[in-house]
Every structure is written in structure tokens, then in C-alpha cells.
Amino acid sequence: MAADALSIIPGAVLRNLSDKLYEKRKNAALEIEGIVKQLAMAGEHDKISAVIALLTNDFTMSPQANHRKGGLIGLAAVTVGLTSEAAQHLEQIVPPVLTSFLDQDSRVRYYACEALYNIAKVVRGDFIIYFNKIFDALCKLSADSDANVQSAAHLLDRLVKDIVTESDQFSIEEFIPLLRERMNVLNPYVRQFLVGWITVLDSVPDIDMLGFLPDFLDGLFNMLSDSSHEIRQQADAALSEFLQEIKNSPINEFVKLGGEQLVPYYADILGAILPCISDQEEKIRVVARETNEELRAIKADPTEGFDIGAILSIAKRELNSEHEATRSEALHWFSTLLRRYRAEFLVYLNEIFDPLLNALSDPSDAVVLLVLEVHACIAEESRHFYHLVSYLIQTFHNNHVLLERRGALIVRRLCVLLGAEKVYREFSTILEREGDLEFASTMVQALNLILLTSTELAELRSLLKKSLVDSCGKDLFISLYASWCHSPMATISLCLLAQAYNHAISVIQSLGEEDINVKFLVQLDKLIRLLETPVFAYLRLQLLEPGKHTWLLKTLYGLLMLLPQQSVAFKILRTRLKTVPFSENLKRVSSANPYSQILQVTEDGNRNQDTQNYNAINFPSRLHQFESMQQQHRVHLKNQLQSRKSASAVALSQLH
């Protein structure tokens, strides 16, 4: 076959093909191109094969570097001469060129790149069957020690990428194992080469790189710690692109493989999975939850690129999700970050506090309870605790519906999480200074009702019952009394809890006609009904010994006097009082009318249990405090009425 080729290619051409001068080799290649073109037109493919064999055996495999260079340019010339018929000879042409990529002479490697470039330009898609071998060769050349070879390899690489992106014969399944083998290479040039291919293939619509993400994800993450800024940027860009596509992908595998290397992408991943937790498809919900747990299990270090602010921003955004499950998981993330990175979390408190307060209006009780856990965790420090209670009061002030519907739930849960006494003392301290007297009264009434009815506050009630005999109970009573003065009925209820019945009588006697209004009577009705509940069982038991508890009797009769006789509450209390086993002395005092003299505080020397510890608290001072506060309320109410009258008068005058 070599003899046939020698008769086809003139000797002078073959001599010039191995000349040390590039121009002579180039001219010889042009001669060969013309000869092959004529042979192709004549259909003499056997002779063309003979020429290729000659160029391979006598030139590309020659120990002489110039021969090898000539052989490479000659093979490229044959391909150009064949044009559309080159595909049938590629099995002969491509292998010797690929072998030349390993040549010890850098100039030979350079010409190998040039030859393959020219071959690829001619055959385009037919070239794909050699892709894996070409990719392997380019991977090595990308790290070549010679800068010229690297440049030539880059040009070839770009052309190969163009061919692959336009081809429908490329097999991603055959390519991925090759890519996976090389992903842990440390050479920066090879890394750059690999990221470039991942990015290009991911951009091809018909190639699903996302489905193979687990095969090369670990390598991409490793590149994020490369010393080269450019490589880090490229790896980061590639990962970011995949994160944009991640919503419908095997994201749980993504997270499992990435582990701590995911830290820079924590927020992006979380932003993708939180909405999926509420997806309509169960499969997606399950994967999203698994991924969420995997992500939460990763222990990240804020000093190593973990952006807590970005995570909080995602969690804050998802608080507005229309789906309860997503809102709940967002709150779990608040709790997780707060527990692990408290100091860093609190830096962003101003940005997230209002959204967390707004979340208290969530339609789901379960979500509200989670919100309160976050708030309680924040409020472990005294300054944050004060802010929490202040903001809560302000929120209730601005949203009376929230107070009405969720007030009890919020206060009760906070009492469990932070301690009932601590919570109530803080509420009282702030409400004592509340400028909106009407709201202060409403808020105190709400707190009082919670105090009287909630199981979570049983210990607080027990402490208040000891107000006359225990210093802690006394301090609590005085603390609450300061703001409870905003509401006469709340004050009376507090006195009943504290067994300060004689002071309750004083409060009742201090009430003016304008104080006993519809609102007061509604609250009194509630109190009378509450007196029949287990909370006040101790009070009812005292009635078995009326001689020892005359102040209690006086208080109850005093309340009875304030109730309309037609009301259910009046009948309930009167029925209860009728069961009291009165002593002869008490019967004589009120023989004419059982209620006529009950409010007269007498000093008959009967120092019973009601008065033994009366001096433990300065009640005259408390009464002055109550009367002073009530006077402020009367003035406020009077001013309101005058303002309304003035407004009505102005409106009427404008009508005329």
C-alpha cells in the first residue's frame, strides 16, 4: 500500500512535507489536498487509504520530529480534500492525530491540535464518535507545559464544544463516567477545562446535566476552595446555575453529596425547597422535607462564608407563603439559627422583628405557637424581653382584633415559655404608663381574664393567694395592682384572688355612679360566673365559716348590690349567698334587710382572719393609687364626650 501511495504522491512533495520549514510543509500539504480531491472525485478510495497509511506510518510515527509534523498537516490536508466523503476514512485519520497529542515535542503537539482542528471543521457531526477520546486528549492538553500548545488546545476545545452543542448524536450517558473520573483532579487548568464543559453541556436544551449532578457535584464543590480566583468564580457560577434549575431535581442527593461545601449556597437551596414543602405532589413534598432536614443538619461556621442574613431573608420571605407547612418550616429555621448562632442572629433582629410580630396574626394557631417560641427564645435577655412585651402591647393597641382572637393564646404561651410571673410583671409595668387609657383598661381586662381562667397561670394565682402572708405574693400583688387600677373590675378580681376582701370593699365604695356603666356590669357578670368555677373554690369554702370571713361576705354582698336584680349573675350570686350558714350575730345585724348594712365597715372588735394580715400591704396607699387612676379615666371619658358633642355640633351647623 505504501508503494501505491509513493506512486500517487510525487517524491518532491513528500520531501517538502518533512522539511524543517513550515512553508514548504504547508505547500506540500496543499499538493496532497489537490491529489486527494481528484481521487475522491474518481471514487478511488483505496488509493486514498494508501495515502493515509503512508502519512501515518512513514510520517506521524517517524522518529524525526519534522516528519511527524508533516504527517499531521498531511492528514488534515487529506480530510480537506475529501470534504463530504471524509467520514468513511476517519477511522484511519483520527487515531494517529490523537496519539500525537502525547508527543514529547511540544511543536508536534501543537500541530496535532492544528490538524485535528482542521479535520473537525470538515467533518463536524461525524466527529462525535471520537468525542470521549478527543475529550480525554484535550483534558491533558489543557494543562500542557507549553503555552502555545495550550492556546492551540483552547481553540480546538471551542470548536469541539460548538460541534457538540449542535449535534444530536452526542451521548451524555457515555460521557459522564469520563467526566466523573476527572472531577477530583487538582490541576487548575484541567479544572477550568472541566467547569467549562459542564457549563456548556448544561446550556444545551436536549442534554439533562441536572440528572447527572451527583456524579460531578463533589468535584465542583472542591473547586470552590481552589487557590485561583478565576476557577472559584467559574465553579460558583456553575453551581449557581444548577441551583436555579434545582426545584424539579434530586435536590436531596444534591445536599447529601454537598454537605458542608454547600454553605455558600445555603440560602439559595433553602429558597428552592421551602415552597416545595407545600407542593401539591406528595413525592415532591417528601423530597423537600428530607432535603430540608439534611440542610438543617449541616453545621456551618459563620466565619467560613455562612451567610446568616441571607438565610433569615429567605425565612422571612416564606413567612408570607400562602401555605401553612412552608410558614411553619420557615419558623423552624428561625429557631434553629437562633439556637446555634444567637449573637449573629440578633444582629438582624431589627429586620425580622416586625415580620415575626405580624406572624402572630397568622390564621393557624400552630404557626402562632411557633412564632411565640421564636419570640421567647429572643426574649431570654432582659432588654429583648422588654422589647417583646412593649411591641406586643403596641401590636395589640393597633390591632384589637388580634387581642380579641389571639390575645389569650399569645399570653398563655408566653407565660409557659418565659414564666408567668415575669410576663405579667412586665405587662403591668408597661401598661401602668400607657397613655391610651381606654386601651390600657381593655388590655388589663384581657390579662385579668387570662389570669382567672388559664391553667398555665395556676401557680401565679397560688402566689397571689398568699399576698397577705408571703413577701413574694405581696410584691406580685403590688406589681399587678399598679396597672390593674385601669379597670375597677380587674382590681376587685385581683383583691379576691389575694384574699384582700376588706380592700375590695374599699374599692367598691370608691366607685362613682359614672363608673358603674354597661361595660362594668358586663365584666361583673363574667366575674360572678367565674366565682362558681374551680379557680375560686377556696373562696366558696371560706363561706362555710362566715364568722371568720365577714369581709368576704361584705364583698360579695357589695357586688350583689351592684347587679341588676333581673340579671342571671344576680340570681347566681344570691343563690350562693343563701347557702351561707349565718351566725346569730350576723343575722341580727341584717335582720330587717339582709343587704341594707352590709357595706358599713364596723369596728366591733372582731379581729378575724380577714384582718390579721391586713397591714402586710399599705392598702390606703393602694386605694389612693386606684382612685387617682380612676379619676384620670373619668376626666378622659368626659373629654371624649365633650369632643364628640363639639364634633356633632359642628356637623349640624354645616348642615344648616
Side-chain angles (χ1 to χ4, degrees):
M1 187 175 284
D4 292 340
L6 289 171
S7 65
I8 299 169
I9 308 294
V13 172
L14 293 175
R15 283 193 298 274
N16 285 338
L17 192 63
S18 60
D19 196 275
K20 64 179 181 179
L21 294 176
Y22 171 75
E23 286 299 322
K24 287 188 176 182
R25 296 198 300 274
K26 181 180 177 182
N27 289 331
L30 290 172
E31 292 282 347
I32 292 172
E33 178 187 329
I35 293 168
V36 170
K37 189 175 291 184
Q38 290 178 353
L39 291 172
M41 290 175 66
E44 297 188 63
H45 286 279
D46 288 343
K47 289 183 178 181
I48 294 172
S49 293
V51 171
I52 295 171
L54 172 68
L55 293 171
T56 301
N57 298 324
D58 292 4
F59 284 82
T60 64
M61 298 174 66
S62 169
Q64 300 295 322
N66 288 330
H67 277 68
R68 300 198 295 276
K69 296 173 188 175
L72 290 166
I73 197 172
L75 289 172
V78 169
T79 307
V80 174
L82 283 166
T83 58
S84 61
E85 298 183 66
Q88 60 187 296
H89 294 283
L90 285 180
E91 287 186 12
Q92 273 185 285
I93 296 171
V94 174
V97 178
L98 293 175
T99 301
S100 299
F101 282 140
L102 302 175
D103 200 285
Q104 292 183 346
D105 190 315
S106 63
R107 297 303 297 166
V108 174
R109 298 196 299 275
Y110 175 85
Y111 286 115
C113 291
E114 185 182 72
L116 196 58
Y117 182 90
N118 290 323
I119 292 167
K121 277 206 305 184
V122 173
V123 298
R124 303 296 292 188
D126 294 324
F127 188 67
I128 292 296
I129 59 172
Y130 297 100
F131 175 77
N132 280 12
K133 292 180 179 179
I134 294 168
F135 179 85
D136 186 45
L138 284 172
C139 188
K140 295 168 183 173
L141 289 174
S142 65
D144 199 279
S145 57
D146 188 279
N148 291 324
V149 175
Q150 280 193 18
S151 297
H154 288 326
L155 286 173
L156 174 59
D157 182 51
R158 281 202 288 270
L159 176 60
V160 175
K161 284 173 179 170
D162 288 342
I163 293 171
V164 167
T165 56
E166 67 187 25
S167 172
D168 57 1
Q169 300 176 37
F170 175 74
S171 173
I172 185 66
E173 290 81 7
E174 293 178 12
F175 167 68
I176 287 297
L178 190 68
L179 176 65
R180 184 174 58 237
E181 288 174 11
R182 285 155 180 74
M183 284 305 293
N184 291 320
V185 173
L186 299 178
N187 186 284
Y189 297 107
V190 175
R191 282 184 159 183
Q192 208 164 2
F193 170 79
L194 294 172
V195 175
W197 269 100
I198 290 171
T199 303
V200 166
L201 292 175
D202 185 49
S203 69
V204 180
D206 295 333
I207 297 177
D208 180 23
M209 283 296 280
L210 203 58
F212 297 96
L213 189 57
D215 291 283
F216 54 86
L217 179 63
D218 192 52
L220 272 180
F221 279 127
N222 288 333
M223 293 180 194
L224 292 174
S225 59
D226 196 281
S227 58
S228 166
H229 176 69
E230 188 174 357
I231 292 172
R232 291 198 305 273
Q233 272 193 326
Q234 287 184 337
D236 180 87
L239 283 167
S240 297
E241 185 61 35
F242 282 119
L243 285 168
Q244 295 303 313
E245 309 166 26
I246 208 71
K247 287 185 179 178
N248 299 314
S249 77
I251 189 170
N252 51 341
E253 293 299 322
F254 183 95
V255 174
K256 285 178 184 176
L257 285 168
E260 293 183 6
Q261 297 173 93
L262 280 172
V263 168
Y265 305 94
Y266 225 112
D268 293 319
I269 298 171
L270 189 63
I273 64 173
L274 281 181
C276 294
I277 284 173
S278 303
D279 197 273
Q280 292 183 348
E281 292 186 33
E282 183 181 1
K283 184 178 179 181
I284 294 178
R285 291 198 303 272
V286 170
V287 171
R289 287 193 176 280
E290 288 177 359
T291 308
N292 188 50
E293 293 307 314
E294 290 281 347
L295 198 62
R296 196 162 18 229
I298 298 172
K299 301 293 176 64
D301 188 341
T303 62
E304 296 180 3
F306 177 54
D307 190 348
I308 289 177
I311 299 291
L312 288 173
S313 180
I314 294 295
K316 181 175 72 171
R317 183 189 74 194
E318 295 306 327
L319 285 180
N320 296 318
S321 168
E322 61 181 312
H323 302 291
E324 179 182 340
T326 294
R327 299 195 302 274
S328 295
E329 283 307 319
L331 288 163
H332 281 306
W333 272 101
F334 277 114
S335 295
T336 298
L337 294 175
L338 188 50
R339 285 195 307 271
R340 290 183 188 169
Y341 316 103
R342 183 176 182 84
E344 292 82 1
F345 181 101
L346 293 177
V347 170
Y348 299 95
L349 190 57
N350 288 338
E351 298 173 25
I352 61 175
F353 203 84
D354 282 345
L356 282 172
L357 277 179
N358 293 336
L360 292 172
S361 300
D362 195 281
S364 164
D365 283 355
V367 171
V368 172
L369 292 175
L370 288 173
V371 175
L372 290 170
E373 286 185 16
V374 176
H375 277 301
C377 195
I378 293 171
E380 287 176 2
E381 295 172 25
S382 58
R383 62 192 177 98
H384 295 308
F385 175 69
Y386 169 77
H387 286 142
L388 170 61
V389 179
S390 295
Y391 280 117
L392 267 180
I393 290 174
Q394 184 179 349
T395 302
F396 287 142
H397 181 276
N398 298 332
N399 189 347
H400 284 218
V401 175
L402 178 65
L403 175 59
E404 182 181 338
R405 294 181 179 176
R406 282 280 168 69
L409 176 68
I410 292 169
V411 173
R412 287 164 55 194
R413 189 58 185 163
L414 282 181
C415 286
V416 171
L417 295 170
L418 294 169
E421 182 176 356
K422 180 180 180 182
V423 169
Y424 262 70
R425 280 178 177 270
E426 196 66 41
F427 267 116
S428 182
T429 300
I430 297 171
L431 286 170
E432 182 186 1
R433 303 189 299 268
E434 173 61 45
D436 186 339
L437 297 180
E438 190 172 351
F439 166 71
S441 178
T442 301
M443 188 73 213
V444 165
Q445 289 160 23
L447 289 171
N448 184 63
L449 186 61
I450 297 166
L451 174 62
L452 296 179
T453 58
S454 301
T455 55
E456 295 89 343
L457 278 76
E459 290 186 10
L460 197 65
R461 291 194 294 269
S462 296
L463 185 57
L464 283 169
K465 289 174 188 175
K466 303 173 185 175
S467 297
L468 301 181
V469 295
D470 180 89
S471 60
C472 294
K474 167 190 169 183
D475 290 343
L476 176 59
F477 176 86
I478 293 172
S479 174
L480 298 187
Y481 192 95
S483 62
W484 258 236
C485 288
H486 281 294
S487 166
M489 194 45 59
T491 306
I492 294 168
S493 301
L494 184 64
C495 291
L496 289 176
L497 269 181
Q499 302 185 61
Y501 308 124
N502 43 8
H503 186 66
I505 285 290
S506 300
V507 170
I508 293 170
Q509 288 178 316
S510 72
L511 296 176
E513 183 179 340
E514 67 273 31
D515 301 321
I516 306 172
N517 50 32
V518 174
K519 187 183 290 186
F520 174 88
L521 291 174
V522 169
Q523 295 165 33
L524 178 54
D525 183 279
K526 288 181 181 178
L527 176 61
I528 299 305
R529 294 170 189 270
L530 284 172
L531 291 177
E532 296 298 312
T533 64
V535 171
F536 286 102
Y538 73 95
L539 183 149
R540 296 195 300 274
L541 288 173
Q542 288 178 17
L543 294 177
L544 293 174
E545 299 181 285
K548 293 182 178 180
H549 303 287
T550 54
W551 287 107
L552 170 58
L553 278 172
K554 290 175 185 290
T555 302
L556 295 178
Y557 275 111
L559 296 176
L560 189 67
M561 293 295 95
L562 299 176
L563 286 165
Q565 291 190 24
Q566 299 83 5
S567 67
V568 174
F570 179 89
K571 294 172 183 175
I572 291 172
L573 183 53
R574 184 177 61 177
T575 301
R576 172 62 61 186
L577 289 171
K578 281 182 177 180
T579 65
V580 176
F582 283 103
S583 67
E584 288 299 318
N585 287 339
L586 285 173
K587 285 180 181 177
R588 283 199 303 271
V589 168
S590 55
S591 57
N593 184 335
Y595 318 126
S596 61
Q597 302 176 38
I598 204 69
L599 294 182
Q600 295 178 10
V601 180
T602 60
E603 296 185 3
D604 58 359
N606 181 20
R607 297 294 181 179
N608 53 42
Q609 288 184 348
D610 289 332
T611 59
Q612 285 176 1
N613 302 298
Y614 185 71
N615 293 328
I617 298 172
N618 186 349
F619 282 111
S621 176
R622 301 284 78 77
L623 183 61
H624 175 74
Q625 189 177 18
F626 172 78
E627 291 176 337
S628 175
M629 181 68 78
Q630 284 305 302
Q631 182 58 30
Q632 291 181 44
H633 277 268
R634 295 183 191 110
V635 171
H636 173 71
L637 182 60
K638 184 178 180 181
N639 291 338
Q640 274 191 328
L641 291 172
Q642 287 179 343
S643 297
R644 288 171 189 166
K645 287 180 180 179
S646 299
S648 298
V650 170
L652 286 171
S653 64
Q654 289 176 345
L655 289 173
H656 296 294

